[in-house]
Amino acid sequence: MILVIDVGNTNITLGVYEKKKLITTFRMTSGMMRTSDEYGVEIRAMLQNNQVDYRRLDGAIIASVVPKVMHALTGAVKRYLKTEALIVGTGIKTGIRVTSENPKEIGADRIVDVVAAYEKYGGPVLVLDFGTATTYDLVTEDGCFGVGITAPGIQISAKALWEDTARLPEVEIKKPASILARETISSMQAGLVYGQIGQTEYIIRQVKKETGLQNLKVVATGGLGRIIADGTDAIDIYDSALTLDGLRILYEKNAGKENG
């Protein structure tokens, strides 16, 4: 078994794979600073609560966009789980050729997502991740990744609404029954969700137009991605486990064997 860890700006998502099967997932916040001991105790407790014996772990892999947590987190994996963590970064084998102007600027999460999408669905593929930011990343048929679009995530837009305006409340992000809202809460929900759907459809359409790839497969992931994917025909596949699958795939490529 292997432990995969995706450190995002808002949450740390962890999953355990037995061979290619994802057997459990759990989360903790990434906004709270922890020591390696705190990480270790929490992760071991979560594994135990999900009926996973940490002593059966063969390895671990981490992708992070929050550098400040890495020293404590990698230390926790080594001390409390008795294994070394493979870190997604420069030098790791991906099977993807990064052709952007500055490959070192690309976040580990985006690399993981495009590796998973290309491995699972082939190319050309446009990968959408609805996280803290909304990202659109293009992988060509021959596995080249050099084009990406970054936009504010739905949660960022929502937070700006209720923090920067005096009279707008904090609302649940969900798609209202109609865009024709008649009160404040559904008005905000309509703007956030239908606005994101409109942005998504336009960007996909423009990418297809400028690349000429009308057969481009569009794959979405991310916490709020299901809401958007359900609201448009422009997205072909919603894959909630895409990032975790990408980490498992990268572990297998770099460990030289499948996990048991």
Side-chain angles (χ1 to χ4, degrees), residues 35 58 61 87 94 103 129-130 133 150 169 197 204 208 226 242-243 255:
T35 66
D58 299 306
I61 182 169
I87 309 301
T94 64
D129 191 339
F130 294 91
T150 306
I197 290 171
I204 292 170
K208 287 182 176 181
R226 170 66 73 185
L242 189 72
T243 304

Side-chain angles (χ1 to χ4, degrees), residues 113-114 117 125-129 135-139 219 221 242:
D113 282 348
V114 298
V125 60
L126 185 66
V127 187
L128 283 56
D129 191 339
T135 57
Y136 306 76
D137 293 319
L138 176 66
V139 185
V219 178
T221 193
L242 189 72

